[in-house]
Amino acid sequence: MASRSFRINIASVLSVLAAIAGTVIYLTQFSESGKLSLIENFDAIPDVDSHLQGIEGLKYSADGNIAYRWQAESADRMISSGDIRLQQPFYVGDIGQQRPWTANAVSGTLSQNGQSLELRHDVLVKDLIREAEISTQQLTIDLEHSTVATAQPLDLKLPNGTTTSVGMRADLKQERVELLSQVKGHYEPQQ
């Protein structure tokens, strides 16, 4: 009988210790919002179910080569839409798998289905057109159809001059860029 009583007492003590440990873990690991925090300072963001930092995404073409890649300082997946909100996005694509071009911005959104990348605020595109830079405030890249578009004003800088326009559409497969309205340019003869 003495050994059975001893076992019950040990079980009771272990239960109490487990309850204390559970309470300590709950108090130290859960923030005021009730979400588990795996970092020291966690601030819940409304409508966000996950947050990543220093990420890179790759898309492969049917032949197994890299079709494009993107990087971002951070990314938040939105609960309501499934879109991925990006901070400091950087995109690298190819035109006819011959030459790379890049686009970066302050912020952006990758669509839930991964087919569209919208860049916003201080967008800078390099080498979409040979040795050119395009700057604008918004740019949408259709990743599936290899098109780029904006309805915003833009500056197109080439080695020998500049062009301004409101709106642009580009078909990368056809290597065709169309400036939509209010097109003005200034060019110097090449020497």
Side-chain angles (χ1 to χ4, degrees):
M1 280 292 199
S3 67
R4 184 165 198 219
S5 163
F6 180 70
R7 284 188 206 151
I8 292 173
N9 289 338
I10 289 177
S12 298
V13 170
L14 291 176
S15 296
V16 169
L17 290 175
I20 291 171
T23 303
V24 169
I25 289 171
Y26 178 82
L27 293 175
T28 59
Q29 294 296 314
F30 281 83
S31 66
E32 290 178 17
S33 67
K35 292 186 177 183
L36 182 63
S37 173
L38 300 177
I39 57 176
E40 286 184 31
N41 296 320
F42 176 77
D43 293 323
I45 303 169
D47 196 35
V48 171
D49 73 352
S50 55
H51 175 82
L52 300 170
Q53 292 186 311
I55 61 168
E56 180 174 344
L58 295 172
K59 169 75 174 188
Y60 294 96
S61 59
D63 62 5
N65 292 320
I66 295 175
Y68 61 84
R69 75 174 189 261
W70 60 269
Q71 301 169 335
E73 184 178 286
S74 66
D76 296 320
R77 188 164 137 337
M78 309 307 292
I79 296 169
S80 60
S81 65
D83 292 345
I84 300 172
R85 187 173 57 195
L86 306 170
Q87 293 301 314
Q88 301 296 321
F90 180 75
Y91 171 87
V92 179
D94 284 324
I95 299 174
Q97 299 184 11
Q98 299 171 23
R99 62 184 191 276
W101 65 279
T102 63
N104 62 290
V106 173
S107 62
T109 303
L110 181 64
S111 65
Q112 177 183 14
N113 61 10
Q115 293 183 358
S116 175
L117 176 62
E118 181 180 339
L119 301 174
R120 291 179 302 281
H121 310 295
D122 298 329
V123 179
L124 180 61
V125 178
K126 292 185 178 182
D127 294 325
L128 180 61
I129 304 168
R130 297 185 194 272
E131 298 181 44
E133 289 186 5
I134 297 171
S135 57
T136 186
Q137 289 302 308
Q138 182 275 334
L139 186 78
T140 301
I141 305 169
D142 183 325
L143 302 168
E144 288 297 311
H145 299 103
S146 297
T147 61
V148 177
T150 184
Q152 300 294 312
L154 65 94
D155 292 322
L156 169 61
K157 295 179 185 173
L158 292 165
N160 65 331
T162 61
T163 300
T164 61
S165 171
V166 175
M168 174 195 72
R169 283 190 300 248
D171 183 330
L172 304 180
K173 289 180 183 174
Q174 301 295 319
E175 294 193 44
R176 178 186 163 135
V177 176
E178 180 181 2
L179 302 176
L180 300 179
S181 69
Q182 301 178 33
V183 179
K184 297 177 185 172
H186 176 77
Y187 288 86
E188 298 291 330
Q190 290 186 345
Q191 298 177 10

